[in-house]
Amino acid sequence: MNIHLTGLAALFVALTGPALAQDRNMTVHKDPSCGCCTAWAELAEKAGYKVSVVESADIAASKAEAGVPEALWSCHTARIDGYVIEGHVPFDALARLLETRPDVLGIAVPGMPEGSPGMGDDPAARYEVIAWGNEAGDGTLFQKVGD
């Protein structure tokens, strides 16, 4: 019996391990001089993501290439497991995106709201996380932070 359960456990790890590991790999495109982008990337690492940072003086080109609507632009653009993450997105919203896998291109926190992760991380902060692309069109509410 133990051999059978061990075999099932090994099969489970073999089937889910790479997918789980892939979900945690993130590439963050940022301006070399942007400190809040660096802070967000460091918070992502603390949240368990494996972060690679790409510095670019032309960050607008990264956003355009990723398909982020200009109205949703912030200071950095990340990619993870087929999704685009724009700006200071909280990590609970990112985790929900990766868990529920909606038919969207990405989620964004437009601008640079004070208190968002990397911008002070204030629990009393109020801002919106917007989904866009595919079923979300030009933008729909994905999550409200603070009420």
Side-chain angles (χ1 to χ4, degrees):
M1 178 96 167
N2 283 346
I3 293 172
H4 180 32
L5 290 177
T6 302
L8 287 175
L11 178 62
F12 177 77
V13 169
L15 293 176
T16 62
L20 291 174
Q22 184 181 14
D23 288 350
R24 307 305 278 179
N25 292 323
M26 174 189 301
T27 302
V28 177
H29 296 262
K30 65 178 261 334
D31 184 282
S33 64
C34 188
C36 64
C37 298
T38 300
W40 188 87
E42 289 171 354
L43 289 170
E45 286 180 336
K46 287 180 183 173
Y49 295 95
K50 184 178 180 211
V51 178
S52 298
V53 174
V54 176
E55 295 188 344
S56 171
D58 187 7
I59 197 67
S62 295
K63 296 172 185 316
E65 190 271 325
V68 181
E70 281 191 49
L72 301 181
W73 283 13
S74 182
C75 54
H76 59 270
T77 305
R79 291 179 182 253
I80 183 168
D81 200 25
Y83 288 106
V84 177
I85 310 302
E86 178 68 15
H88 296 273
V89 171
F91 299 103
D92 61 333
L94 177 53
R96 184 165 68 96
L97 175 77
L98 295 174
E99 181 181 314
T100 61
R101 309 236 16 114
D103 183 22
V104 300
L105 295 180
I107 56 176
V109 171
M112 298 166 58
E114 282 191 40
S116 60
M119 293 293 295
D121 205 16
D122 179 0
R126 298 172 192 266
Y127 54 93
E128 295 180 343
V129 180
I130 307 297
W132 86 89
N134 300 340
E135 71 183 25
D138 290 337
T140 60
L141 182 65
F142 184 76
Q143 177 175 313
K144 255 188 160 176
V145 177
D147 273 333

